[in-house]
Amino acid sequence: EECRCLWFTGERRVEVRKRSDEGLGVLNSNGLRIRSIVSAVSAGSEMLVYRGEMPPQVAMDDTIDYLKDRTFEYPTRYGYSLVGHVTDSG
């Protein structure tokens, strides 16, 4: 399977990058794997990232392993607004 991720590469610049699903890792006991159908850029934090308005000292999100203990910088994969089908669970 092919996995595609939206990367914010700079102010008002995005790229869709491909990667294999081999890098997705093992699900933890309460994890879900979702095949997205549609996604959007949220009007809040994702739009701040897109516009280049995310303060660099702000922590990305301590509840998401990939973003834990990271502050904002380009390029970054950042997103959570999607609709999809659950394909696997932990």
Side-chain angles (χ1 to χ4, degrees):
E1 292 273 332
E2 182 177 86
C3 177
R4 292 175 289 164
C5 302
L6 180 68
W7 283 80
F8 293 88
T9 57
E11 184 177 326
R12 299 184 185 271
R13 293 192 328 258
V14 296
E15 293 176 10
V16 176
R17 297 181 182 177
K18 297 177 186 177
R19 70 179 238 194
S20 72
D21 64 0
E22 295 168 6
L24 296 178
V26 177
L27 291 172
N28 62 29
S29 62
N30 63 350
L32 296 174
R33 184 157 291 134
I34 300 171
R35 175 178 293 284
S36 63
I37 299 168
V38 295
S39 64
V41 173
S42 76
S45 57
E46 288 175 280
M47 189 59 76
L48 289 175
V49 171
Y50 174 72
R51 290 181 179 153
E53 298 171 354
M54 180 68 95
Q57 70 279 9
V58 172
M60 294 293 281
D61 192 326
D62 284 336
T63 65
I64 300 172
D65 286 342
Y66 171 74
L67 300 174
K68 190 175 236 164
D69 301 324
R70 289 186 57 207
T71 55
F72 176 76
E73 64 183 306
Y74 292 113
T76 190
R77 297 184 279 155
Y78 186 66
Y80 49 83
S81 302
L82 65 88
V83 174
H85 296 284
V86 174
T87 61
D88 197 7
S89 61

